[in-house]
Amino acid sequence: MTVPNPRRQRVAKKVLDELFDHPSTVTVIHYSCESFYERKEGQSPRITSIALRKLDSAQTRSFSIHQVAERNGVAFEEIRVNYDSLEREMLKQFFEYLAGFKDMKYLHWNMRDTSYGFQAIEHRFRVLCSKDITLHVVDDRQKVDLSRLLQDIYGSGYIGHPRMQRLVEKNGIALRDFLPGSEEAQAFDNQDFAALHLSTLRKTDIIANIAARAHDRELRTETNWWAMRGGSFLSVWNWVAEHSTITLLVGIVGVAATIFGILWGLD
């Protein structure tokens, strides 16, 4: 098991705590897409649904292909042949929504690059939309990767892979509607867009749940108490020194032991 780096651990805890100090300024985001492992010609994977969940109220806004199709009167069996126009409309609505919350922070899970992340969504928008249409780009300083925070807090080996699913199982969080990555890819191939949408919504709930438990110092992981405090006697001593109540108790015990020793010697 990898012991957390004390400095990165402190910084990560502070970042997480600040999110919950101002939850109205934080939105949890997750999305589902076509498998990016099977795109042999290098095309970007199609996006099927995006969910945004407010950290304070749990109110959720979602954008999905099948809902756009329903609103536009496109029959289910015609979604595949109209996918470009439906995805384009969905992404336009998504970026218009983001533009209304320019100071929002976004808590996500591994949305870090052009394969899967904000940049991937932006790329799909540019592929499908006219070049003269501007989009709201979220600044990197507004993005918080919960997956990375947890590694800094608990150590890189804090749970097995796939990490989100293992955390859900270890913490007794309901898996209802949750689809692992491979099953999401299969659902896309089967045009089961409703299942993809429900899975995306569920994962935003799970990310918020995991974050809240980590913030409350109640998240169950494979990292034990000893490792969490540096895995050495010096680190544990420094941890004790940082907690005034424990330091006081240690001091009281030490004084009591000294007095007892003196009295024992007098006998």
Side-chain angles (χ1 to χ4, degrees):
M1 179 182 297
T2 304
V3 175
N5 176 281
R7 184 188 64 80
R8 289 201 299 269
Q9 185 184 62
R10 286 193 296 272
V11 171
K13 286 182 176 180
K14 181 179 179 181
V15 169
L16 188 60
D17 291 344
E18 287 176 349
L19 294 179
F20 281 87
D21 286 342
H22 307 283
S24 63
T25 66
V26 182
T27 292
V28 179
I29 183 172
H30 196 74
Y31 77 97
S32 60
C33 63
E34 185 180 13
S35 174
F36 38 81
Y37 294 114
E38 299 176 4
R39 310 290 287 177
K40 296 181 180 180
E41 297 182 3
Q43 306 101 320
S44 53
R46 295 183 181 278
I47 296 170
T48 58
S49 61
I50 308 171
L52 298 160
R53 180 189 189 276
K54 294 295 295 296
L55 189 62
D56 59 340
S57 64
Q59 290 296 309
T60 303
R61 178 71 182 270
S62 62
F63 306 84
S64 64
I65 291 296
H66 73 288
Q67 288 180 334
V68 173
E70 184 177 16
R71 287 195 294 268
N72 291 352
V74 177
F76 174 81
E77 58 272 14
E78 296 178 355
I79 289 180
R80 187 181 292 275
V81 296
N82 289 282
Y83 210 110
D84 280 358
S85 61
L86 295 173
E87 185 183 6
R88 180 188 305 116
E89 180 62 25
M90 179 188 70
L91 293 179
K92 286 176 64 177
Q93 293 174 8
F94 168 70
F95 281 109
E96 286 172 359
Y97 180 83
L98 287 192
F101 299 91
K102 294 183 178 179
D103 296 324
M104 187 67 63
K105 290 187 176 180
Y106 292 92
L107 183 65
H108 63 91
W109 189 275
N110 282 336
M111 289 177 54
R112 294 195 299 267
D113 51 43
T114 55
S115 293
Y116 181 82
F118 291 87
Q119 294 178 53
I121 302 175
E122 293 161 10
H123 178 72
R124 285 303 297 172
F125 181 90
R126 293 187 175 102
V127 167
L128 295 168
C129 295
S130 171
K131 299 298 185 291
D132 59 354
I133 299 178
T134 58
L135 75 161
H136 173 69
V137 176
V138 177
D139 190 281
D140 287 346
R141 291 170 294 183
Q142 296 171 253
K143 307 168 187 175
V144 181
D145 185 353
L146 179 60
S147 179
R148 295 294 296 274
L149 286 184
L150 296 181
Q151 290 182 60
D152 286 343
I153 293 172
Y154 300 100
S156 59
Y158 75 96
I159 199 74
H161 292 279
R163 287 189 171 118
M164 184 188 292
Q165 184 173 344
R166 294 289 179 264
L167 281 174
V168 166
E169 294 167 349
K170 190 169 186 66
N171 287 272
I173 302 171
L175 274 169
R176 184 188 70 255
D177 299 326
F178 179 99
L179 292 179
S182 60
E183 292 184 25
E184 284 194 348
Q186 187 61 52
F188 178 88
D189 291 340
N190 296 338
Q191 297 189 72
D192 195 349
F193 302 118
L196 284 168
H197 185 223
L198 290 174
S199 179
T200 305
L201 291 171
R202 183 64 189 139
K203 287 179 180 178
T204 59
D205 287 343
I206 287 171
I207 293 169
N209 193 320
I210 291 173
R213 294 181 188 225
H215 166 65
D216 293 336
R217 312 302 191 250
E218 295 178 352
L219 185 68
R220 296 175 183 173
T221 71
E222 300 297 336
T223 305
N224 58 35
W225 187 94
W226 176 255
M228 273 293 290
R229 281 142 189 93
S232 68
F233 287 107
L234 177 60
S235 297
V236 171
W237 176 256
N238 289 335
W239 177 81
V240 170
E242 291 175 358
H243 294 73
S244 56
T245 301
I246 297 176
T247 304
L248 177 61
L249 290 174
V250 171
I252 292 173
V253 171
V255 171
T258 301
I259 295 174
F260 180 78
I262 294 172
L263 293 177
W264 183 268
L266 293 175
D267 290 342

